[in-house]
Amino acid sequence: MAEQRVFGLRQARAAVAGSFLLQGTTFALLVTCIPEIQSRYGLSDGLLPVFLAAVPVLAGVGSVASEAVVGRSSARAVLRVVQPAVCLSLAAVGLGRELWQLALALGLFGLLVGALDASMNMLGVGLQRRYGRSIMIGFHAAFSLGGILGAVIAGLGAHYDASLAVLFGGAAAVLVPLALLTGTRFPGRAELGDAVREAAAAAASRIPWRPLLPLCAVMAFAYIADASVSNYSVKYLTDVLGSPDDLAKLSYLGYMVAMLLGRALGDRAVERWGAVAVVRAGAVLSALGFALAAAAPGRWAGIAAFTVLGLGICAIIPQVFAAGGKRFPEHADAAVARLNLFNYVGFLVGSPLVGALAGAGSFRLALLAPLVLVLAVAPMGRFFAAPVSTPVAPEAAPAR
């Protein structure tokens, strides 16, 4: 019986990792094809940031809405529906021709991604509570691996001049059955028990904002940098550095490969040098990546610059969550939930910021804005030192 439970947990963990991988693939296909999407729909550079900003806004709405749906059903049930639907919404992006069709497809993509992100992480956190040790980094590494796969597929599509309808439709034809198959192994009550409910209850705990504000700022700055790369690295290579479409995809591919390697080695680096040193080094390395990209004389230099950037950013984001948990060891889920909100803040600000500056001046100058913000993380590294746990005021503690 115990062996069956262990086997069931392992299958559930593999299924959730598979969900992260599929989502990374889907997201990478979308963001690496932004120049092709812009061309297909005749989307101007001025209007592009508006469409890109709408996705994280609607993702936030979808994330909040999914909490109510999960309360009436389960995170597993929600994820089983929304993951295949996200893949279908990607196909819809490649089928239209009019701006209103793109708006509908991206709007649907944003809402569904928010619900997917929330339910997927709920299952991940629930499994982590059952395992009694950290396994979430592995799930996010699976997302990075999916991003690599998506960038490779997009590059091959560009190399062979595949239309968006063929590329996105073909990808959906493979991803939807895989999502449905993966969904059959998502963890339920037999694997999780009350772990998801306990995690949700802990996340609802009321804790003071003030000790988390510096970490919230770091999270926002890191995701502004990440959004800048996700949405504009390929476009920068094609429009500024004159790269062919297929080669331009390597900018995001290099970024995701570096993220994956960094996440694989990051825990060892923290153990050896400490979180403060790792975060400060990551901030400086990220700023260096932006500087190299802004000054890049050609396509290969640009690809190398975005690869350096990925190695820097990957060290920052996981440590924000870890630092929040250390500040509130008895309410770690609540701290993580609050910090995760600034993921959306970063994406909401990052795309319009770079797009507006590029429209007003040039892409090279626009890259200096996220450079300054991510460099500001370096002096904030002191907030990642192991703190004395912050007590929760009695009047703010959750009712029992």
Side-chain angles (χ1 to χ4, degrees):
M1 194 70 169
E3 290 181 359
Q4 287 181 338
R5 269 199 302 270
V6 170
F7 181 69
L9 276 174
R10 287 175 177 171
Q11 282 193 319
R13 182 178 178 182
V16 174
S19 181
F20 273 85
L21 186 144
L22 291 174
Q23 173 55 5
T25 304
T26 306
F27 184 76
L29 279 167
L30 181 73
V31 298
T32 54
C33 290
I34 285 175
E36 289 90 342
I37 294 171
Q38 190 177 9
S39 175
R40 181 181 181 88
Y41 288 93
L43 195 60
S44 68
D45 286 340
L47 200 54
L48 178 62
V50 177
F51 276 75
L52 295 179
V55 174
V57 171
L58 291 170
V61 173
S63 179
V64 172
S66 69
E67 292 181 15
V69 178
V70 167
R72 293 174 178 268
S73 56
S74 68
R76 175 173 66 172
V78 172
L79 188 55
R80 280 176 170 173
V81 173
V82 297
Q83 185 138 56
V86 166
C87 301
L88 291 174
S89 68
L90 175 70
V93 172
L95 292 175
R97 287 288 183 181
E98 305 294 331
L99 281 180
W100 67 267
Q101 294 171 322
L102 177 63
L104 284 177
L106 285 180
L108 181 63
F109 184 88
L111 285 170
L112 292 170
V113 160
L116 187 154
D117 183 56
S119 56
M120 189 168 62
N121 279 285
M122 285 178 193
L123 290 181
V125 170
L127 277 175
Q128 180 167 277
R129 290 174 75 86
R130 288 288 281 180
Y131 268 80
R133 56 186 172 86
S134 176
I135 60 173
M136 284 297 290
I137 292 177
F139 292 142
H140 286 273
F143 178 89
S144 299
L145 184 60
I148 294 169
L149 180 60
V152 169
I153 294 170
L156 291 172
H159 181 74
Y160 291 105
D161 294 322
S163 67
L164 284 182
V166 171
L167 179 62
F168 289 173
V174 175
L175 294 173
V176 169
L178 288 176
L180 293 172
L181 180 62
T182 302
T184 63
R185 298 297 181 183
F186 286 152
R189 180 166 291 277
E191 295 80 23
L192 296 178
D194 290 329
V196 171
R197 180 187 58 78
E198 292 168 0
S205 304
R206 288 174 291 170
I207 59 176
W209 272 100
R210 188 172 180 178
L212 288 177
L213 289 179
L215 299 177
C216 292
V218 172
M219 179 68 86
F221 293 164
Y223 270 104
I224 286 172
D226 183 71
S228 302
V229 178
S230 298
N231 291 322
Y232 288 107
S233 61
V234 176
K235 185 172 175 59
Y236 179 72
L237 256 76
T238 55
D239 291 8
V240 178
L241 301 182
S243 173
D245 288 340
D246 54 352
L247 190 61
K249 312 298 184 190
L250 294 180
S251 60
Y252 189 74
L253 176 63
Y255 178 73
M256 293 306 292
V257 168
M259 289 275 278
L260 179 61
L261 290 176
R263 284 171 174 167
L265 302 174
D267 288 334
R268 294 180 183 178
V270 171
E271 289 177 5
R272 181 168 183 178
W273 292 296
V276 174
V278 168
V279 168
R280 284 176 171 165
V284 172
L285 196 59
S286 300
L288 176 62
F290 275 117
L292 292 173
R299 59 196 70 164
W300 288 108
I303 291 168
F306 287 116
T307 302
V308 170
L309 237 168
L311 195 58
I313 290 293
C314 74
I316 298 173
I317 295 171
Q319 290 308 307
V320 174
F321 288 119
K326 289 175 184 176
R327 288 185 180 277
F328 296 96
E330 300 300 321
H331 302 274
D333 292 316
V336 168
R338 289 194 178 181
L339 291 168
N340 192 55
L341 291 174
F342 288 82
N343 165 354
Y344 295 113
V345 172
F347 268 97
L348 179 60
V349 173
S351 297
L353 176 65
V354 174
L357 291 175
S362 70
F363 262 119
R364 291 186 185 274
L365 291 176
L367 292 178
L368 298 181
L371 183 158
V372 171
L373 291 175
V374 78
L375 189 59
V377 171
M380 300 173 74
R382 61 190 177 89
F383 294 106
F384 291 81
V388 176
S389 62
T390 304
V392 178
E395 64 271 20
R400 296 186 183 276

